[in-house]
């Protein structure tokens, strides 16, 4: 039994002007062959789960299985993938596929919210090309991020797709193992997956997507009850990614049944109806900057201010200054913020550790995230900017490189970490590796919405999602959509829908 492994993961924010090139993938992962196993075998990621799941299945059944790592590309969320970069990614993917030889099945890891300049449904494009090449009889089973904008083309290309069940995404490896077993059992003839997806006209605000929040409990309880049926193999709730202006943008559900397409359809419709019935629970509850900081005064213990408009995990600039400026002006320290600003890093390096100088930091990528913060800074230290996260965290990434880094302090109690590369706030090792103690800060800005919670809850007792301006602003009804489905709740509030 020979099983191929392919992954192409990118969350594409189409509202950003700058396209994503091949260099962004080269910084993260652009791998073929055995390098994939070396990079992902121990990772808390679905690729690691594929590897572990197939090994586990082979040991359990004592059946010889060869897992063939073919191609994996991953980049941090950013703009639409440039046409030439997309063509090169697919050229490498399918060249590696051709070199892999005959396969009995394929495990795939599309993100589900990938957009290229010529293919708005980029995941549907490459999955259907894969299907054409391997043939209709070769099973394709995979995982998707729940921030996928699932499309009928993705569903038709695959025998089964499984979305992560948690946000922050802590179960990626487990879902990879689940997908591996589904494919293995399919190849052995034990099951015959039949998948059905439903697409209610619903966009779920990103502020409401923390799966630990109480409004999600009835939906996931229903999903869990469905899994008690002996012939329901899997089901998934897909939130959607609101920062992609494509026709597929929005929520969806998936159900997979063993040999019974009608059972899969009825389970998916039941789950979609539950989601639709609770649609008002998924409308954003937005808190502005001043109101958020006023609320902090009533809290005991440290507070994480989630900077939703500059959500790096959604593709934003990572240099938004709105919260940093307010913390500085109101002297609310000890406080921490991280800003992407390679120019200011270079200035701090020229001055040297221990120096004091006037700097303008952040606010340089565009005019959406606030102007640069100008102040007198003390250069505390200069760092290489590499760190490792050993625990399961959102995104399943273990090794990070934010480039040359400068740690600065103002006289107002604000500590600023300046990085030479955009960095997602998924790990407290980002601070510790630079000699900072996360529990020393009363207020910490994390440029995200839900993803940072997995790491920051170690030290923060309170989380406030702040409605800041930017390319990932939480009020999606104010984004300039041209291609989304219509009608769709909450853009149109009088939508009538039933399955």
């Amino acid at each position: 039994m020979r099983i191929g492994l392919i992954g192409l993961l990118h969350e594409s924010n189409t509202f950003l002007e700058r396209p994503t090139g091949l260099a962004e993938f080269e910084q993260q992962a652009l791998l073929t062959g055995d390098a994939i196993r070396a990079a992902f075998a121990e990772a808390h990621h679905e690729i690691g789960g594929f590897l572990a799941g197939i090994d586990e299945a082979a040991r359990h059944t004592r059946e010889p299985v060869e897992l063939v790592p073919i191609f994996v590309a991953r980049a941090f969320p950013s703009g639409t993938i440039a046409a030439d970069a997309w063509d090169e990614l697919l050229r490498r993917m399918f060249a590696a596929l051709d070199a892999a030889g005959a396969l009995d099945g394929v495990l795939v890891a599309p993100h589900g919210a990938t957009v290229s300049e010529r293919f708005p449904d980029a995941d549907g494009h490459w999955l259907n090309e894969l299907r054409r090449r391997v043939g209709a009889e070769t099973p394709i089973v995979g995982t998707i991020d729940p921030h996928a904008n699932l499309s009928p083309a993705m569903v038709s290309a695959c025998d089964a797709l499984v979305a992560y069940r948690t946000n922050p995404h802590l179960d990626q490896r487990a879902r990879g193992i689940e997908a591996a077993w589904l494919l293995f059992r399919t190849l052995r003839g034990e099951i015959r997956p039949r998948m059905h997806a439903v697409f209610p006209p619903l966009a779920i605000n990103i502020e409401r997507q923390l799966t630990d929040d109480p409004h999600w409990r009835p939906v996931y309880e229903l999903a869990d009850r469905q899994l008690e049926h002996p012939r329901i193999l899997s089901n998934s709730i897909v939130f959607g990614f609101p920062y992609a202006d494509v026709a597929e943008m929005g929520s969806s559900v998936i159900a997979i049944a063993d040999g019974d397409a009608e059972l899969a359809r009825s389970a998916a419709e039941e789950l979609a109806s539950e989601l639709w019935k609770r649609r008002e629970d998924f409308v954003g509850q937005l808190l502005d900057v001043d109101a958020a900081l006023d609320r902090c005064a009533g809290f005991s213990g440290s507070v994480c201010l989630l900077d939703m408009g500059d959500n790096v995990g959604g593709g934003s600039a990572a240099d938004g200054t709105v919260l940093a400026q307010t913390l500085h002006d109101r002297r609310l320290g000890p406080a921490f913020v991280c800003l992407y600003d390679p120019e200011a890093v270079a200035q701090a390096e020229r001055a040297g550790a221990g120096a004091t100088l006037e700097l303008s930091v952040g606010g340089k990528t565009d005019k959406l995230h606030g102007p640069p913060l100008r102040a007198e800074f003390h250069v505390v230290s200069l760092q290489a900017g590499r760190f490792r996260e050993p625990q399961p965290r959102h995104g399943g990434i273990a090794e990070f490189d934010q480039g040359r880094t400068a740690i600065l302090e103002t006289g107002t109690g604000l500590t600023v970490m300046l990085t030479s590369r955009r960095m997602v706030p998924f790990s407290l090792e980002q601070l510790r590796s630079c000699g900072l103690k996360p529990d020393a800060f009363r207020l910490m800005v994390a440029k995200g919405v839900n993803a940072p919670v997995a790491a920051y809850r170690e030290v923060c007792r309170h989380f406030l999602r702040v409605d800041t301006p930017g390319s990932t602003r939480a009020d999606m009804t104010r984004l300039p959509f041209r291609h989304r489905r219509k009608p769709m709740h909450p853009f149109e509030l009088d939508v009538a829908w039933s399955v």
Side-chain angles (χ1 to χ4, degrees):
M1 189 185 296
R2 299 186 81 241
I3 295 174
L5 186 163
I6 298 175
L8 201 173
L9 300 107
H10 185 253
E11 197 172 66
S12 307
N13 185 326
T14 66
F15 296 109
L16 301 176
E17 292 183 7
R18 182 176 180 271
T20 297
L22 203 65
E24 281 81 0
F25 288 91
E26 290 169 341
Q27 285 182 4
Q28 274 286 299
L30 189 50
L31 305 170
T32 58
D34 290 339
I36 296 170
R37 188 181 294 273
F40 285 95
E42 303 303 320
H44 302 289
H45 190 276
E46 60 261 49
I47 300 295
F50 291 164
L51 296 164
I54 293 300
D55 287 348
E56 179 183 288
R59 288 196 306 272
H60 182 76
T61 61
R62 297 184 180 179
E63 186 165 332
V65 183
E66 182 185 1
L67 184 60
V68 185
I70 295 172
F71 175 87
V72 171
R74 179 181 66 185
F76 280 149
S78 48
T80 302
I81 300 176
D84 59 345
W86 182 253
D87 290 346
E88 178 62 15
L89 288 169
L90 265 58
R91 186 195 68 77
R92 296 189 190 192
M93 176 192 292
F94 293 122
L97 176 68
D98 290 344
L103 300 170
D104 297 294
V106 187
L107 286 166
V108 294
H111 179 281
T114 305
V115 181
S116 74
E117 288 179 334
R118 288 193 292 116
F119 299 99
D121 179 15
D123 292 297
H125 169 65
W126 77 260
L127 288 170
N128 274 274
E129 179 61 18
L130 174 66
R131 168 59 71 198
R132 186 185 71 80
R133 288 169 180 254
V134 301
E137 301 305 315
T138 302
I140 300 174
V141 175
T143 55
I144 56 172
D145 192 299
H147 293 108
N149 290 321
L150 187 69
S151 71
M154 296 180 213
V155 175
S156 66
C158 299
D159 295 84
L161 288 170
V162 179
Y164 324 147
R165 295 179 87 82
T166 64
N167 189 31
H169 307 328
L170 302 181
D171 65 331
Q172 289 175 251
R173 188 177 177 93
R175 300 287 73 77
I177 291 171
E178 177 185 349
W181 271 99
L182 281 172
L183 179 58
F184 183 79
R185 294 178 65 202
T186 300
L187 291 171
R188 296 188 83 208
E190 296 176 12
I191 58 173
R192 294 179 299 127
R194 297 292 180 265
M195 177 165 57
H196 191 88
V198 177
F199 305 87
L202 174 64
I204 297 173
N205 191 285
I206 200 161
E207 186 268 339
R208 305 296 286 165
Q209 292 185 10
L210 185 77
T211 51
D212 285 343
D213 280 349
H215 58 270
W216 281 107
R217 190 170 300 126
V219 182
Y220 279 100
E221 285 176 350
L222 172 59
D224 290 342
R225 287 196 301 274
Q226 288 186 347
L227 293 176
E228 294 173 2
H229 192 293
R231 297 184 71 185
I232 295 290
L233 300 173
S234 178
N235 57 25
S236 299
I237 299 160
V238 185
F239 314 140
F241 182 63
Y243 304 119
D245 184 13
V246 294
E248 295 78 18
M249 192 280 290
S251 62
S252 56
V253 301
I254 299 169
I256 303 167
D258 182 11
D260 191 335
E262 178 60 26
L263 178 60
R265 183 194 62 79
S266 63
E269 289 181 350
E270 181 186 35
L271 204 51
S273 296
E274 183 71 16
L275 205 62
W276 179 251
K277 180 176 74 175
R278 300 182 179 279
R279 60 192 177 277
E280 296 303 326
D281 290 342
F282 306 125
V283 176
Q285 300 178 8
L286 306 181
L287 186 67
D288 68 31
V289 173
D290 287 326
L293 291 175
D294 289 346
R295 189 176 293 186
C296 291
F299 291 145
S300 61
S302 58
V303 182
C304 181
L305 300 164
L306 292 153
D307 189 351
M308 296 196 293
D310 194 20
N311 172 11
V312 188
S316 73
D319 68 349
T321 58
V322 174
L323 280 170
Q325 184 72 61
T326 308
L327 290 168
H328 176 67
D329 292 345
R330 292 176 60 166
R331 306 178 76 90
L332 292 176
F336 169 83
V337 66
C338 177
L339 300 173
Y340 163 67
D341 193 334
E343 174 188 320
V345 171
Q347 291 176 277
E349 289 197 304
R350 286 195 294 270
T356 298
L357 71 163
E358 287 274 338
L359 280 176
S360 292
V361 300
K364 296 170 185 171
T365 299
D366 54 41
K367 298 185 183 303
L368 299 176
H369 301 87
L373 166 61
R374 185 162 188 84
E376 185 177 84
F377 291 95
H378 172 68
V379 182
V380 177
S381 67
L382 301 165
Q383 306 286 339
R386 296 185 182 89
F387 56 97
R388 187 175 195 282
E389 174 53 68
Q391 300 299 319
R393 293 289 182 257
H394 186 98
I397 304 170
E399 303 290 339
F400 296 85
D401 184 357
Q402 63 188 21
R404 294 294 299 171
T405 299
I407 307 299
L408 311 180
E409 289 179 353
T410 69
T412 61
L414 179 64
T415 296
V416 180
M417 173 184 285
L418 298 178
T419 70
S420 299
R421 293 180 176 177
R422 294 168 59 250
M423 182 48 58
V424 288
F426 294 173
S427 172
L428 290 179
E429 295 306 314
Q430 181 185 21
L431 282 75
R432 294 179 179 126
S433 65
C434 293
L436 298 176
K437 296 180 178 180
D439 55 4
F441 299 104
R442 167 151 167 71
L443 299 171
M444 302 182 73
V445 176
K447 292 183 175 296
V449 181
N450 300 301
V453 173
Y456 280 69
R457 62 187 167 197
E458 288 185 18
V459 296
C460 293
R461 292 181 60 184
H462 311 280
F463 291 85
L464 292 176
R465 293 174 179 83
V466 188
D467 183 24
T468 50
S471 57
T472 56
R473 66 184 318 155
D475 186 356
M476 59 185 161
T477 65
R478 298 177 66 183
L479 293 169
F481 284 99
R482 293 186 297 133
H483 305 292
R484 68 170 176 84
R485 289 178 277 161
K486 293 181 181 179
M488 175 179 275
H489 189 276
F491 300 94
E492 291 80 37
L493 296 176
D494 57 349
V495 184
W497 180 80
S498 62
V499 292

